[in-house]
């Protein structure tokens, strides 16, 4: 078993990126629910993200979404982040919120629409250059709803061509993270439906292309930890979008639906050598009915708890039980770690970092919620409309 000292040391190195869009208004497919104090600008989103980092100590970067976070001066936005004690992180593209993309974006049958989509992706690389961001995250809503609607193989050719052009534009130290989702909004065929499709494209592109695993983008019953282990084995796991789901989509706090699954995933990360800066830990959530900042803080804490339990697994005892074929003993080793109450350990880690041991309580006492409710009156709140 890892010593508590080494576990604590590892936990202090963890970094979890928060998404800018999680601070804005969001909702279901039928209604977006507005909340008081929601940011109106990218700058105000960063202010809220800095508050999360101040209480958790492990959220030093914020992912941007273009065009939702488009500004005239990205260097100035980066300076604002730095002044708040955080940095700009992953740049996320948007090829799904335009009428032209009804039949797809980079896989669209019309060359003009594909050109528009690729130009947007290249714009996102320009943003990366301005912000100093390492990762470009790509998720495509492309697919078809009916058999015969389009040529499935031709769409893969179009996808490969678009990815190759963007890949060639990446600079030194920049990466492309390709996300997959098994359905929605395309219900018959999705152009990047699974990790195998994403992996095949990334393998062909080269070392700067990695797969990102969104924990909400799988069919019920999918063994996500197997996918994680396989991608780590092939050195193709670029990162995670952490969230939680019951049936479909991914709008719940990380670990909310199945904390045991999150633990199992994090164990494979630790066991496979993925607990490094090369595997990005990101949240990808929309908080519809709960307050934004506390929900993000709680999500971060859930990921921390799953990580702490994964680090506590007695890997020597587990290996011995596995080698001897002792099924129950092997399972017992994992369950012992999972059933450990790691909250006191994490409270101790936070205290040693000069933070309040209870981030949720610290946020409630900070008065930030009351401050932003009073200050952010008028203007257009950030979010997506429905």
């Amino acid at each position: 078993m890892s010593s508590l000292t080494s576990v604590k040391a590892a936990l202090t190195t963890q970094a979890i990126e928060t998404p800018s869009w999680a601070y804005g208004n969001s909702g279901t497919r039928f209604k977006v629910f507005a909340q008081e104090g929601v940011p109106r600008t990218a700058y105000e989103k960063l202010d809220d993200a800095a508050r999360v980092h101040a209480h958790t100590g492990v959220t030093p970067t914020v992912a941007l979404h273009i065009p939702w976070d488009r500004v005239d001066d990205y260097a100035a936005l980066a300076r604002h982040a730095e002044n708040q004690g955080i940095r700009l992180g992953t740049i996320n593209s948007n090829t799904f919120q335009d009428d032209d993309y009804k039949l797809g974006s980079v896989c669209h049958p019309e060359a003009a629409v594909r050109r528009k989509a690729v130009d947007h992706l290249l714009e996102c690389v320009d943003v990366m250059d301005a912000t100093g961001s390492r990762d470009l995250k790509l998720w495509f809503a492309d697919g078809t709803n009916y058999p015969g609607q389009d040529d499935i193989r031709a769409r893969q050719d179009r996808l490969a061509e678009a990815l190759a052009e963007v890949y060639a534009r990446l600079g030194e130290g920049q990466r492309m993270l390709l996300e997959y989702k098994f359905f929605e909004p395309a219900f018959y065929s999705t152009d990047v439906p699974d990790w195998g499709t994403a992996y095949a494209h990334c393998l062909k592109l080269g070392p700067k292309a990695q797969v990102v695993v969104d924990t909400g983008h799988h069919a019920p019953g999918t063994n996500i930890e197997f996918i994680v282990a396989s991608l780590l084995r092939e050195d193709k796991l670029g990162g995670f979008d952490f969230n939680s789901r019951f049936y479909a989509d991914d709008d719940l706090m990380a670990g909310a639906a199945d904390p045991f699954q999150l633990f199992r995933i994090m164990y494979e990360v630790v066991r496979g050598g993925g607990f490094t800066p090369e595997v990005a830990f990101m949240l990808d959530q929309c908080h519809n009915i709960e307050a934004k900042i506390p929900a993000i803080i709680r999500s971060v804490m859930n990921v921390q708890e799953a990580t702490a339990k994964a680090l506590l697994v007695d890997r020597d005892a587990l290996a011995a039980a596995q080698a001897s074929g002792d099924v129950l003993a092997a399972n017992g080793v994992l369950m012992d770690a999972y059933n450990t109450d790691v909250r006191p350990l994490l409270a101790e880690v936070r205290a040693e970092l000069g933070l309040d041991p209870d981030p949720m309580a610290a946020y409630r006492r900070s008065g930030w919620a009351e401050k932003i409710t009073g200050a952010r009156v008028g203007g257009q709140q950030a979010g997506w409309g429905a």
Side-chain angles (χ1 to χ4, degrees):
M1 179 182 295
S2 299
S3 69
L4 286 181
T5 300
S6 63
V7 170
K8 289 167 62 176
L11 290 169
T12 62
T13 68
Q14 188 167 33
I16 303 168
E17 187 165 277
T18 67
S20 68
W21 53 96
Y23 298 99
N25 284 327
S26 61
T28 69
R29 285 154 183 75
F30 312 106
K31 169 66 177 175
V32 168
F33 304 103
Q35 295 185 17
E36 293 182 327
V38 163
R40 298 159 296 181
T41 66
Y43 286 85
E44 290 181 346
K45 291 179 183 179
L46 295 181
D47 294 341
D48 286 355
R51 177 59 51 172
V52 173
H53 185 49
H55 294 304
T56 65
V58 295
T59 58
T61 60
V62 182
L64 300 184
H65 205 295
I66 308 300
W68 297 344
D69 296 314
R70 185 176 282 146
V71 295
D72 293 331
D73 188 340
Y74 289 102
L77 187 67
R79 288 193 297 272
H80 181 76
E82 292 170 1
N83 290 337
Q84 299 295 317
I86 56 177
R87 304 186 311 278
L88 301 182
T90 304
I91 303 301
N92 292 257
S93 61
N94 184 322
T95 55
F96 53 85
Q97 274 192 315
D98 193 292
D99 285 344
D100 285 341
Y101 299 145
K102 181 171 66 174
L103 299 179
S105 60
V106 297
C107 300
H108 198 285
E110 293 185 22
V113 176
R114 297 199 299 273
R115 183 70 259 162
K116 174 180 176 177
V118 172
D119 285 345
H120 168 66
L121 302 183
L122 295 174
E123 174 201 2
C124 288
V125 182
D126 292 338
V127 174
M128 294 169 67
D129 292 340
T131 59
S133 300
R134 179 187 66 174
D135 294 339
L136 170 68
K137 183 140 64 69
L138 306 178
W139 173 71
F140 299 108
D142 293 30
T144 65
N145 280 346
Y146 297 98
Q149 176 182 325
D150 200 358
D151 188 310
I152 292 176
R153 177 165 174 169
R155 293 180 73 90
Q156 288 297 306
D157 292 338
R158 299 167 199 157
L159 173 63
E161 182 180 357
L163 292 176
E165 182 174 349
V166 179
Y167 186 89
R169 170 64 181 82
L170 295 174
E172 188 69 28
Q174 293 179 337
R175 305 190 305 176
M176 171 191 295
L177 302 183
L178 182 57
E179 186 175 350
Y180 58 90
K181 186 175 184 180
F182 82 108
F183 86 107
E184 192 199 39
F187 290 100
Y188 172 64
S189 67
T190 302
D191 291 318
V192 190
D194 51 40
W195 72 279
T197 304
Y199 172 74
H201 281 284
C202 289
L203 187 64
K204 187 172 183 179
L205 287 166
K208 291 183 179 181
Q210 302 276 77
V211 180
V212 62
V213 175
D214 186 306
T215 53
H217 282 189
H218 303 83
T222 299
N223 190 317
I224 300 175
E225 55 268 33
F226 172 82
I227 298 170
V228 171
S230 297
L231 288 171
L232 279 170
R233 182 173 177 269
E234 299 297 331
D235 195 27
K236 276 297 182 182
L237 180 63
F240 288 94
D241 278 355
F242 285 122
N243 47 65
S244 195
R245 58 182 286 280
F246 282 100
Y247 297 103
D249 219 309
D250 50 1
D251 291 338
L252 303 178
M253 296 186 301
D258 190 349
F260 185 47
Q261 179 190 66
L262 185 56
F263 159 75
R264 299 193 311 266
I265 290 170
M266 289 309 305
Y267 172 71
E268 292 301 333
V269 171
V270 171
R271 181 257 178 272
F275 195 62
T276 72
E278 296 306 308
V279 176
F281 294 165
M282 301 173 278
L283 300 180
D284 183 9
Q285 304 169 182
C286 294
H287 303 290
N288 303 335
I289 60 174
E290 64 271 35
K292 314 293 182 181
I293 297 175
I296 295 171
I297 291 175
R298 174 63 68 191
S299 296
V300 171
M301 294 173 67
N302 288 349
V303 175
Q304 286 183 297
E305 289 176 16
T307 304
K309 292 179 178 184
L311 290 166
L312 286 172
V313 171
D314 189 335
R315 292 171 60 183
D316 291 338
L318 181 60
Q322 291 170 340
S324 66
D326 193 334
V327 176
L328 292 180
N331 177 251
V333 172
L334 280 181
M335 296 309 299
D336 285 345
Y338 176 70
N339 288 322
T340 301
D341 185 356
V342 296
R343 291 174 297 177
L345 173 64
L346 284 163
E348 189 176 327
V349 169
R350 296 183 186 109
E352 291 177 1
L353 291 174
L355 302 171
D356 191 293
D358 186 345
M360 293 290 285
Y363 176 72
R364 286 193 296 269
R365 292 194 306 269
S366 72
W368 185 256
E370 294 76 15
K371 178 180 178 179
I372 60 178
T373 297
R376 296 174 183 171
V377 178
Q380 181 66 43
Q381 289 185 325
W384 52 273

